[in-house]
Amino acid sequence: VKHTLPKLGFSYDQLEPHIDATTVELHYSKHHQSYVDGLNKAEDSLAKARETGDFSNVKHLKREVAFHGSGHILHSLYWANMIASKSAKGKPSGKLFEAIEKKFGSFETFQKEFKAATAAVEGSGWGLLVFVHGGLEILTIEKHQNLTVMGAVPLLTCDVWEHAYYLKYQNKRPAYIEGWFNVVNWDDVQARYEKAVAGN
């Protein structure tokens, strides 16, 4: 089965003014597409290796699957975690809100920690809110193909590779993260949290 781009839940311009339409279009149709293409190519090569029994290039192919596969998964989550600006609620509710307050003390403290940790990612990477060991945690990922916490279920992710924000924000990564929080789809994050708690 070939991997494909996920369908967006918004048009390119509906994240304005926080994330500009040109960035969304390029990010989705070019950068994310390159991960999809790379993953399909690597998996095709692995399938051929299995048919022929020639695994002389397996180390490279496994790295390609990890890099492009992780990029595809994280980008797919990134898009699902956002919603049109006019529909954004600003903060979660229900059990997720309660869990955030229990872990971090308050939603405001969670935001401050998430923003600080994500802004501090060296080079390119991601900031994530995850469910792990029965609770919430904030993680940062710099090389998404090899930096993971086993068992962590990603709930919310912010892409801080420069292609996600440079056209509008240039080198002002904290300003981009601030704007990104205005288009978070908290209903999507809540649904992921409930599934993670239930073990699904």
Side-chain angles (χ1 to χ4, degrees), residues 162-183:
E162 288 185 343
H163 61 237
Y165 61 88
Y166 211 81
L167 288 179
K168 180 176 178 68
Y169 293 98
Q170 288 82 49
N171 63 336
K172 302 178 182 71
R173 182 186 285 180
Y176 154 68
I177 300 169
E178 185 80 29
W180 169 82
F181 259 110
N182 291 309
V183 292

Side-chain angles (χ1 to χ4, degrees), residues 52-117:
T52 63
D54 179 5
F55 292 100
S56 58
N57 203 28
V58 70
K59 184 176 182 179
H60 168 72
L61 292 177
K62 290 294 185 180
R63 285 176 173 172
E64 287 290 286
V65 168
F67 178 75
H68 292 292
S70 296
H72 177 40
I73 290 168
L74 288 167
H75 275 94
S76 296
L77 179 60
Y78 175 71
W79 302 124
N81 280 164
M82 294 190 290
I83 195 169
S85 299
K86 65 179 182 180
S87 301
K89 296 180 177 179
K91 61 174 59 178
S93 59
K95 292 181 179 179
L96 174 60
F97 184 78
E98 293 171 5
I100 288 174
E101 289 205 314
K102 180 180 179 181
K103 173 67 178 182
F104 301 99
S106 69
F107 179 70
E108 290 70 27
T109 301
F110 155 71
Q111 280 191 308
K112 288 180 181 178
E113 182 175 337
F114 189 98
K115 290 174 184 176

Side-chain angles (χ1 to χ4, degrees), residues 17-33:
H18 309 292
I19 303 177
D20 63 284
T22 301
T23 292
V24 175
E25 181 176 6
L26 289 171
H27 193 174
Y28 174 74
S29 66
K30 301 299 183 185
H31 292 284
H32 190 171
Q33 184 66 59

